[in-house]
Amino acid sequence: MRKPRLVMLGTGDFAVPTFLALCEPAARVEVLALVTQPSRPRGRKQEILPAPILVAARDRGIPVLQPESINDAESIDQLRELDADLLITAAYGQILSAEVLGASRLGGLNLHGSLLPAYRGAAPVARAIQRGEVQTGVTVIQMNPRVDAGGMLLSASTTIDPDETAGELEERLARLGAPLVVQAVHGLMDGTLSAQIQDQSKVSKAPKLTSEDGQIDWNQSAAAIHNLVRAMQPRHAAWTERPALKPGQPAARLIVHRTRRTESPVSPPGIPPGGVLDGGPGRLLVATGDGVLELVTVQTPGKKPMSAAEYLRGHPMFAGHRLGSSS
């Protein structure tokens, strides 16, 4: 029996473990090509650097296609010429049309970073953390033109660590899902797997996060702010305004990378949300709408992240200062 013939569509780091797993001889598949987004400027220096999945494909001698749109006629013709049994997608970054899915014999499989039908959309990992979920997982689905709405083939769950960032969790989920994709390919090819329809009553959405989503509202609880900080890492970052160092100067932005929930269940009386507390040398404690939060790692725009202790040496703040306010 010949090996399943696959085309992988992936761009982000979440796709890399799946691609590598499919390239292993033990997977018993043939990867015909990688389709990935065009390389674009990245980072502070805006350098055009190849994504890790692109480097992995070149190292293995696998042909690479980088169309601006996978849904245009030329791209669809290229897929048809590859004569694949299945398209495999993970963190590709474009929605596949019905014509694209029809370019392979059995359509497409997608690895999604949630336990569907919860958290359909572009940011399932970040949104799960933001909303305080304690468990999540991955799901392999048969694709259809509706976003993340296809039939479910396999899934696996995991517990979310209370201090885990979206980037850290996404890395774990990518590794968790990779062997499931290999298993799903063979199960679909030999007829031992059948798709389960998603329960529409349990659907929730996970829209992409933006930098504006990272603005901290200190009226929220310490738990909610801690979750926001975790959710914004590493693609964006949570942030707040800090008071000016000297009279007449404008307020400055303070980027918050890591926080720690304290044992204080409620904010001290008389301290408004965002108020800085006296936590002792090198500690930056802030009152919230419910509880006290410690800022652990922070950053001034244009500088490197640093500990709160390092930051306070150059940007002193005292009890009575208030974050999120120009006062």
Side-chain angles (χ1 to χ4, degrees):
M1 183 176 180
R2 71 172 178 83
K3 295 178 180 179
R5 294 164 53 85
L6 312 178
V7 173
M8 176 80 192
L9 295 89
T11 305
D13 291 347
F14 183 76
V16 174
T18 291
F19 180 68
L20 295 180
L22 292 171
C23 291
E24 287 293 323
R28 297 178 290 114
V29 303
E30 182 181 358
V31 181
L32 304 172
L34 168 70
V35 181
T36 188
Q37 297 253 44
S39 301
R40 306 189 194 282
R42 295 191 298 169
R44 291 175 58 187
K45 296 183 179 179
Q46 289 294 284
E47 296 177 289
I48 298 179
L49 301 173
I53 195 168
L54 176 57
V55 174
R58 288 175 174 170
D59 287 346
R60 288 160 177 76
I62 294 173
V64 176
L65 304 176
Q66 292 185 278
E68 283 290 341
S69 172
I70 190 62
N71 296 303
D72 64 29
E74 182 180 356
S75 299
I76 293 170
D77 286 343
Q78 287 179 311
L79 288 176
R80 288 185 178 133
E81 289 172 3
L82 290 169
D83 191 27
D85 294 310
L86 275 167
L87 308 179
I88 309 296
T89 72
Y92 174 51
Q94 295 186 33
I95 296 173
L96 275 56
S97 66
E99 290 76 17
V100 170
L101 294 174
S104 65
R105 189 167 68 86
L106 295 176
L109 300 183
N110 174 249
L111 177 66
H112 186 71
S114 78
L115 295 173
L116 290 168
Y119 297 105
R120 290 182 183 175
V125 179
R127 292 296 184 180
I129 288 177
Q130 183 188 15
R131 294 168 191 168
E133 300 286 3
V134 297
Q135 189 172 48
T136 188
V138 290
T139 309
V140 182
I141 60 171
Q142 279 188 297
M143 298 183 69
N144 63 32
R146 295 172 56 207
V147 176
D148 303 326
M152 302 179 294
L153 293 169
L154 292 169
S155 64
S157 63
T158 187
T159 300
I160 302 174
D161 184 272
D163 293 316
E164 197 168 24
T165 67
E168 292 163 347
L169 177 57
E170 189 172 284
E171 186 177 326
R172 286 204 298 115
L173 291 176
R175 295 195 302 268
L176 181 67
L180 291 185
V181 174
V182 177
Q183 183 180 345
V185 168
H186 289 286
L188 197 62
M189 292 289 292
D190 63 23
T192 58
L193 269 183
S194 57
Q196 177 184 351
I197 297 174
Q198 295 186 37
D199 185 344
Q200 293 299 309
S201 69
K202 296 180 179 178
V203 170
S204 59
K205 301 293 186 180
K208 184 182 296 185
L209 286 162
T210 68
S211 58
E212 287 75 20
D213 291 318
Q215 184 172 11
I216 295 172
D217 178 1
W218 294 104
N219 292 295
Q220 292 189 327
S221 68
I225 296 169
H226 180 63
N227 292 341
L228 174 67
V229 172
R230 296 162 55 214
M232 295 298 291
Q233 291 291 330
R235 289 180 178 82
H236 301 288
W239 58 274
T240 188
E241 297 287 346
R242 62 147 292 155
L245 291 176
K246 297 178 181 179
Q249 289 183 341
R253 179 168 291 197
L254 178 64
I255 299 168
V256 182
H257 290 284
R258 288 274 184 177
T259 55
R260 181 185 299 125
R261 296 180 62 183
T262 71
E263 296 179 357
S264 302
V266 296
S267 300
I271 304 296
V276 175
L277 308 177
D278 184 3
R283 297 186 72 192
L284 185 47
L285 303 183
V286 186
T288 73
D290 182 12
V292 175
L293 194 65
E294 180 174 3
L295 309 192
V296 178
T297 306
V298 297
Q299 180 184 6
T300 298
K303 304 293 184 180
K304 293 182 178 180
M306 64 188 77
S307 69
E310 291 175 300
Y311 178 81
L312 289 172
R313 284 197 289 270
H315 306 81
M317 279 193 283
F318 307 98
H321 282 155
R322 188 178 179 189
L323 298 180
S325 169
S326 58
S327 59

